[in-house]
Amino acid sequence: MVRVDALAIPVFREDGWLPVGHHQATWDEVAARFSGAPGSRRSYLTAKLLELRDGLRRLGVTGVVLLNGSYISAKPEPADFDVLFIAPLEIQAMKDASPALATLLDAEQAEKVGGYSLFYIPSDSPALDRLSTLWDLSKEGIAKGVVQVHL
């Protein structure tokens, strides 16, 4: 199962990453911490992230979102955010029944239109522990933290 650290979003380490761990936060905390100034790249990315959240909520989808990428770093102009959506067990059936959900969870569409990387996995998948552990590393293989929020 995905582990959660007790403290909300901690301060950045000297290298600009969050300390190792899954830091549980609210959506308000995420927006307050990572949005940046109005009109900034951070503000744009936050709007895209909240659009994804709102779309999933509108479609009645629940689950946990792990946020990753330069968006949750100290980088002044992050390139993007990465989302690992730990979805309900019936996510594939829900996606098959809803063209809107299928579009929302389309990784290629997320990358092309939204400018972010999206992955989803059912909460009972045997690959979840391995995937969430990979999420704990930067592209360079540096151990770091991620932010966890509930839909």
Side-chain angles (χ1 to χ4, degrees):
M1 190 41 136
V2 177
R3 69 185 183 284
V4 178
D5 293 336
L7 298 174
I9 308 168
V11 297
F12 294 116
R13 300 184 315 210
E14 201 170 288
D15 65 0
W17 292 112
L18 292 171
V20 171
H22 290 206
H23 307 289
Q24 188 162 352
T26 66
W27 288 100
D28 287 343
E29 290 169 328
V30 169
R33 178 73 182 273
F34 300 112
S35 284
S40 69
R41 176 75 178 157
R42 283 192 168 282
S43 177
Y44 170 80
L45 290 173
T46 300
K48 287 295 182 184
L49 177 60
L50 296 178
E51 284 176 19
L52 173 63
R53 177 205 63 188
D54 293 347
L56 290 168
R57 284 179 172 177
R58 248 189 323 278
L59 295 168
V61 179
T62 60
V64 173
V65 172
L66 295 182
L67 296 174
N68 198 358
S70 58
Y71 176 74
I72 61 161
S73 76
K75 191 173 184 178
E77 290 291 317
D80 66 356
F81 61 85
D82 303 323
V83 169
L84 174 58
F85 172 45
I86 303 168
L89 305 179
E90 65 278 2
I91 191 63
Q92 190 58 51
M94 294 170 74
K95 187 178 162 197
D96 292 344
S98 171
L101 182 57
T103 298
L104 197 58
L105 293 178
D106 184 304
E108 188 175 335
Q109 173 100 353
E111 191 77 38
K112 282 183 180 178
V113 177
Y116 58 90
S117 298
L118 172 67
F119 305 89
Y120 71 93
I121 188 168
S123 61
D124 68 343
S125 173
L128 179 58
D129 284 339
R130 181 162 165 65
L131 189 55
S132 67
T133 299
L134 289 173
W135 220 246
D136 297 341
L137 300 173
S138 71
K139 291 179 186 177
E140 299 79 22
I142 299 168
K144 58 167 191 56
V146 298
V147 174
Q148 178 175 321
V149 287
H150 289 270
L151 285 175

